[in-house]
Amino acid sequence: MIGKQQNKQPDTNHQQVGEVPSPTSRHYKAKMWMRLWDGNPPGRVLFLLAAITAFFMAIPIIYVVWRSLFAGTDRWMRLLDSRIPQLIWNTMSLTVMVTLFAVFIGVSLAWIVNRTDLPGRKMWQWLLALPLVIPPYVGAVTYIIVFGPSGWVKRWWAEQEWLVTTFGEYSLNVYTFCGIFFVLTMFTFPYVFLIASASLRKMNRNFEEVARSQGMKTSQIFWKVNLPFLRPAIGAGAILIALYVLSDFGAIAMMRFTTFTAAIYYQMGSYDTVSATVLSVVLIGLTLIILWLESKTKKKQKYYQTTNTYKKPDTLPLGKWKWVSFAYVMLIFLFSVLLPIIVLVYWSIIGIEMGALDSRFWGFAWNSLKVSGMAALVCMMFALPVVYLRSRYPSVISQSIEKLSYAGYALPGVIVALGIIFVFNQYIPALYNTYFLVVIAFVIRFLPQAMQSTDASLSLISPRIDEAARSLGQPPWKVMIRVIIPSTLPGIFAGGALVFVSSIKELPATLLLRPPGFDTLAVRIWVETSEAVYHMAAPAALLIVLVSIIPLRYLLKKY
């Protein structure tokens, strides 16, 4: 009846005034989600892509740590009593020594080339970066060929009777700590050289003029003015070198020195995967300690150029030290570039004359191009969502996603391969023993390279461009496709090029994950060198070096 009061059920879908929201209510969850993103949450597609990428990148480290927890106390104690102490000593002593000497060489060369009147200084800026394109395991091969037990130097020495009479038989042994230390130092110092060179070119002359007006000499200005500004660059280069030495396998194995990466590989070869996970966890711990020390020291290295009147640094005359400096630069170039290239060209000519460039060789080259190209494409696709989420939607979640995405870059290829083997063998057997696992390993290892390059391009695009597109009614995914991707395309392609070249040189992950009969150029270098068939290994090594020159131009433009 009209006017008659009707009974109504309470509306449970709306929050009553003054009622405290339940933690399980939809309204409460939505409010907390908004608060996590400071009122600006990302779209579902973007968040899911970035989150899946981060989880995928963290799989190896999560699974390796998880498996090591079930290794058993007896196995842990046996390894701690026998192998682990010696491996820690070998690994850390090599890492520290290579880092210290590579930093010294890199900084000294950067100073001589960029701040003095060294003859041909512009040319040296390019030439001294070339060791980056020579994989250390290729460098190790060349030094074995020249200085090894049956190498060029020993044969020449035996032919010189006066040398044998005066000094005795040739006794240089490259298979020692000094041998692997020398090889890794010669092929890692450009990390510091490039970054320190960039800092030196950007230094303001005003600070030096003030110090000179106070009566300081050039040496005092270097220690008290230049070096403090160089410390961040030195730290960045040092951490790259240390992480590389921790993760290197090829050069270390070829020089018959045992560190954690070699020990893990040999444990996998003997099918003792549980011990391999234990060793992997210890190596991960060492890596985290180095990263923690680097982050602590970085906080204390804050030096700013506050003046707005920039002046280009002076070029200092070397005077009587000119030819001594030139000889020093030439000596480093000889051992890090000239000698390896001469050896590779020599054996490549012999190999070509003996028919090394046959269908098998081009098959190896095609396999390398295929897996490296696929890895580069995948990295270009998945780098942008992670970088865009962190840049445009800063929060604890986006920062955590970005850090997880960098997990694979700090891990050796052996550990990445170990995690992939466990996961795909047990849960996704359809892909096991296929070359797709090699591609996945490359993506996990080198996606951060694509992220860094993409981030550099994205940082040049104002967020207001995104906001303008959104204000016109475009959904986030259309903004990404129509606005962001075209604007960041150069950086995306540059990142893809870096991933491609890093992948084509990767050895341990390829060795462990390749299916039967699927060899790449890097694998053939390893196999042929192990059997001393250098004329077959040299063309593959030389091809890798030539291809690797492509992203070096990008590095030199960047730095």
Side-chain angles (χ1 to χ4, degrees), residues 14-80:
H14 294 81
Q15 191 71 43
Q16 298 296 323
V17 178
E19 183 180 345
V20 179
S22 170
T24 58
S25 68
R26 184 180 301 175
H27 175 75
Y28 179 82
K29 292 178 180 178
K31 188 175 181 180
M32 291 300 298
W33 180 251
M34 292 288 289
R35 185 178 298 174
L36 286 173
W37 299 96
D38 293 330
N40 182 34
R44 291 183 179 179
V45 176
L46 175 64
F47 176 75
L48 285 175
L49 280 175
I52 291 171
T53 301
F55 175 76
F56 181 76
M57 294 288 288
I59 283 177
I61 189 171
I62 293 173
Y63 202 82
V64 167
V65 173
W66 176 257
R67 279 296 299 264
S68 69
L69 297 177
F70 299 95
T73 306
D74 293 340
R75 192 184 298 268
W76 270 94
M77 294 306 298
R78 186 170 69 252
L79 290 172
L80 285 171

Side-chain angles (χ1 to χ4, degrees), residues 124-145:
W124 288 116
Q125 291 178 2
W126 159 259
L127 292 178
L128 291 174
L130 285 178
L132 278 181
V133 307
I134 304 175
Y137 60 82
V138 172
V141 171
T142 61
Y143 277 101
I144 292 171
I145 292 173

Side-chain angles (χ1 to χ4, degrees), residues 21 36 65 91 95 144 180 184 192 194 199 206 233 252 260 265 291 293 302-303 334 352 380 386 443 448 466 559:
L36 286 173
V65 173
T91 303
T95 301
I144 292 171
I180 184 60
L184 288 178
V192 175
L194 284 174
S199 297
N206 289 342
I252 288 172
F260 271 103
Y265 177 81
L291 293 173
L293 290 174
K302 295 182 179 179
Y303 302 93
L334 170 66
I352 292 172
M380 286 190 290
V386 178
V443 172
D466 309 27
Y559 293 118

